Amino acid sequence: QVQLVESGGGLMQAGGSLRLSCAASGRTFSTYAMGWFRRAPGKEREFVAGINWIASMTSYADSAKGRFTISRDNTKNTLYLQMNSLKSEDTAVYYCAADIGAVAMGWDPPNLHKYTYWGQGTQVTVSS
């Protein structure tokens, strides 16, 4: 199985920045499409950002576009989410996820059902 471990969450004032990291196990990280999702209290898990296996394409939710940047370092088996201009609405548990079938079956970033492996989540709290 693929193990995913998020880090970098914390408490931040509105307008501030955080960078989340997701460390992945395995030798085939470079073949996984990766995504960031979040779940706010009492709400469904929602798509934040996605990136294909070689980082040639990215996708963002409207709420993230212009503020968040997803990236990956395949030499380090690590996924990142740079979050700038944070808002209180960004408060949520953030999860990274791996879609190991995207390279063969097609890339559909916001479809959470395509992601086979999930991290444990990291809490992001934004206060004003």
Side-chain angles (χ1 to χ4, degrees), residues 3 5 14 19 66 74 80 96 98 109:
Q3 304 291 325
V5 180
R19 189 178 75 160
N74 285 350
Y80 303 98
C96 68

Side-chain angles (χ1 to χ4, degrees), residues 1-21:
Q1 282 204 347
V2 177
Q3 304 291 325
L4 304 172
V5 180
E6 301 96 334
S7 61
L11 187 64
M12 182 60 63
Q13 291 290 110
S17 297
L18 285 172
R19 189 178 75 160
L20 307 184
S21 297

Side-chain angles (χ1 to χ4, degrees), residues 1-5 22-32 34 72-78 98 100 117:
Q1 282 204 347
V2 177
Q3 304 291 325
L4 304 172
V5 180
C22 173
S25 67
R27 326 182 207 289
T28 55
F29 178 72
S30 63
T31 71
Y32 309 157
M34 299 293 296
R72 67 193 296 163
D73 185 343
N74 285 350
T75 70
K76 298 181 181 294
N77 277 22
T78 303
I100 66 173
Y117 298 100

Side-chain angles (χ1 to χ4, degrees), residues 16 35-36 41 70 74-75 93-94 105 107 109 113 118 122 124 127-128:
W36 287 99
I70 188 170
N74 285 350
T75 70
V93 177
Y94 284 71
M105 302 301 297
W107 187 49
H113 299 291
W118 295 81
T122 185
V124 171
S127 64
S128 58

Side-chain angles (χ1 to χ4, degrees), residues 34 47-52 57-61 64-65 70 107-110:
M34 299 293 296
F47 172 73
V48 177
I51 190 166
N52 74 343
M57 298 174 63
T58 57
S59 180
Y60 296 94
K65 196 171 301 181
I70 188 170
W107 187 49
D108 185 11

